[in-house]
Amino acid sequence: MKSLEELKAIRERMQSQVSMRAEDHNHTRVVVGMATCGIASGARPVLTKLSSLVQEKNLTDKISVTQTGCIGLCQYEPIVEVMEPGKQKITYIKMTPEKAEEVLERHLIGGHIVEEYTLSGADIK
Amino acid sequence: MPEISLNVLDVAENSTRAGASLVTITIDADFSGDRLTVVIDDNGCGMTPEQVQQVTDPFFTSRTTRKVGLGVPFFKLAAESTGGSFAITSEPGVGTAVTAVFVLSHIDRMPLGDISTTIHTLVVYHPETDFVYRYQYNGRSFTLDTREFRQVLGDIPFDTPDISAYIMDYLNENKLETDGGAIY
């Protein structure tokens, strides 16, 4: 069985590092809708993908991935909202882990919105 | 919902929204008794007897974003369609317990699914809430208690990469030791 001793070792290691994360206003927030509608249409793997990619790429000091409830657009779930400081909120709809990876690469790292996956860009009218 | 674990994720979400400081989730697979019992127990705001009656009605919700509330009805149907049972007990100011019993061998029972990722998601994304997760498989069991983690970690948050990875490993390794990697 995995023990709490290991967790203590991780803590010791971390306390020697100085850079504790500070939530400042330059933080980009990525929010995944996780109500019944989101979960049923596959939001959990999208959330897991985004947060593990952000960690892998050492972006945790710039991007925080969180979850929220029902946004009210259940038919477009899984929904991912990107809120960059000083910019308009971007709503990505019908996400998959693959699309989420693309959004991370092209939008969050590259700075270009992936129009075809957004609520305003998708052909849904 | 294709997995029981997603129902757990959804219904436990209600507990955190009810302001619970502690949510206890128990998964008990007992193959000799042919039952899988899932209990989600919280110390949140609780419900009145009238509300308890209403929550299994898909056309009732306390939310205002839309007019339906499908989480609890989905969970109830999933359990009852296997010949199992579903119950909610609740008291205002005390908390709510949701119990779903599935008949393991029934053809309509959905798989348990990725329960470890579900618990990880709950634990990491609800920093204000403590979770006790008990996984039992044919009499063997392990427990995760975030209060123990917090005691070790102090104010280091669970979503710190190293800690998040530790919690995932803790869930995966201990589950494997408990059920030998059984998929059901």
Side-chain angles (χ1 to χ4, degrees), chain A residues 1-4 7-8 10-11 13-14 21 34 36-37 39 44 47 51 55 65 67 69-70 74, chain B residues 3 5 10 13 17 66 71 114 118 121 125-126 149 152 156 159-160 162 166 169-170 174 177:
Chain A
M1 290 276 168
K2 211 160 171 70
S3 69
L4 290 174
L7 190 60
K8 283 180 191 153
I10 295 172
R11 185 200 57 192
R13 204 171 64 226
M14 287 181 60
R21 176 162 46 136
M34 290 283 282
T36 307
C37 45
I39 293 169
R44 191 187 60 187
L47 176 71
S51 65
Q55 292 185 357
V65 183
Q67 61 167 73
C70 177
C74 311
Chain B
E3 297 176 3
S5 86
D10 190 19
E13 200 74 39
R17 220 154 277 234
R66 55 187 154 80
D114 192 351
T118 285
T121 303
Y125 292 100
H126 296 91
F149 291 171
V152 173
I156 303 174
D159 64 352
T160 319
D162 287 354
Y166 168 85
D169 290 347
Y170 185 97
N174 289 350
E177 276 186 46

Side-chain angles (χ1 to χ4, degrees), chain B residues 141-163:
Chain B
S141 71
F142 82 91
T143 304
L144 172 152
D145 188 336
T146 57
R147 293 170 300 185
E148 291 175 358
F149 291 171
R150 265 184 240 283
Q151 220 168 16
V152 173
L153 290 173
D155 56 2
I156 303 174
F158 289 165
D159 64 352
T160 319
D162 287 354
I163 307 301

